[in-house]
Amino acid sequence: MSDRLSVRWTVVARDCPRPVFACPACGGDRPFHSSGKIRLNANGKRLDAWLIYKCDGCDRTWNRPIIERRLAAGVPPGDLAALRSGDAAFVRRLAFDLAALRRKTPVILQSGRVDVEKVVTGGDAGATGVDIILAVPHPVGLRLDRLLATGLGLSRSRIGDLMDTGRLEAAGGGNALKRPPRDGQSVRLDLAGMGDRQAILTAAG
Ligand SMILES: [Zn+2]
């Protein structure tokens, strides 16, 4: 019997980030959402590719440039095949590329809606502590304290109290709770002597 339960939480955003800018059709700033579709245009030996977005308000399209006037021979074959087939994982990676989106607009909406897949990697139900490793393949828009509260079945104020009393430690320090979870981030929780230890262990794994 181990005194610590080890779990891995994989946190997956349900919605892609939405860049905000003025929509020429409905006027005013509007969020645009990825349609998940790629448009590829070959002109001689040059290639252009766009990821197609649609205005939340009116469905007006915005073509986000992915490659511009590039020599086809200079595009990695794997990328080219993925662009041609509209490979879902490839398109998702593009849609979550916040650095690239920020070069187009400073305002990007990130939804806090996530799915969390929990896997127990060690320990058992008799544990008095939990070690959580977070896997976050794409950036998510919710704070760590909200993720932990939902994932552990506790209130956010309780999460704050656990941090304040030293029972909860998150890599990244005291402000980590207010920031989004990072890929590979670790969280340690000490449950010794707590009345709802069993419920928290069950929720964690
Ligand atoms: Zn619009």
Side-chain angles (χ1 to χ4, degrees):
M1 190 174 102
S2 165
D3 64 344
R4 306 209 48 95
L5 182 73
S6 299
V7 295
R8 187 179 65 245
W9 289 6
T10 302
V11 185
V12 178
R14 285 189 202 164
D15 312 299
C16 298
R18 290 180 299 155
V20 177
F21 43 81
C23 173
C26 60
D29 286 348
R30 294 281 184 277
F32 282 68
H33 58 272
S34 167
S35 71
K37 295 204 165 53
I38 294 281
R39 201 183 129 205
L40 189 64
N41 187 40
N43 197 333
K45 289 178 176 168
R46 301 271 174 184
L47 282 182
D48 288 280
W50 301 268
L51 177 55
I52 312 298
Y53 283 73
K54 290 188 171 182
C55 170
D56 276 13
C58 71
D59 269 2
R60 167 86 167 224
T61 56
W62 170 56
N63 294 349
R64 174 185 151 201
I66 303 301
I67 58 175
E68 296 179 89
R69 308 296 298 152
R70 284 261 295 279
L71 278 171
V75 179
D79 288 3
L80 192 53
L83 286 165
R84 283 221 164 92
S85 65
D87 178 76
F90 185 83
V91 171
R92 190 169 168 83
R93 202 161 67 239
L94 291 174
F96 278 90
D97 186 346
L98 289 177
L101 280 170
R102 287 198 182 104
R103 289 196 287 274
K104 299 292 176 194
T105 172
V107 185
I108 297 164
L109 300 184
Q110 280 186 273
S111 154
R113 301 197 312 146
V114 297
D115 291 313
V116 181
E117 184 199 273
K118 300 167 180 173
V119 176
V120 175
T121 55
D124 56 44
T128 54
V130 185
D131 294 323
I132 304 170
I133 294 288
L134 298 172
V136 189
H138 299 296
V140 294
L142 85 170
R143 292 163 39 142
L144 178 60
D145 57 357
R146 188 174 290 279
L147 173 70
L148 292 173
T150 307
L152 296 170
L154 301 172
S155 68
R156 258 167 76 194
S157 62
R158 179 89 183 278
I159 295 293
D161 290 345
L162 290 170
M163 178 71 116
D164 291 344
T165 54
R167 281 181 172 270
L168 188 151
E169 289 173 38
N175 278 330
L177 286 183
K178 294 178 185 162
R179 290 198 294 260
R182 289 180 292 102
D183 191 37
Q185 190 171 22
S186 60
V187 175
R188 284 176 64 85
L189 194 54
D190 170 21
L191 304 175
M194 275 167 46
D196 53 357
R197 178 181 68 90
Q198 206 59 54
I200 295 172
L201 284 171
T202 302

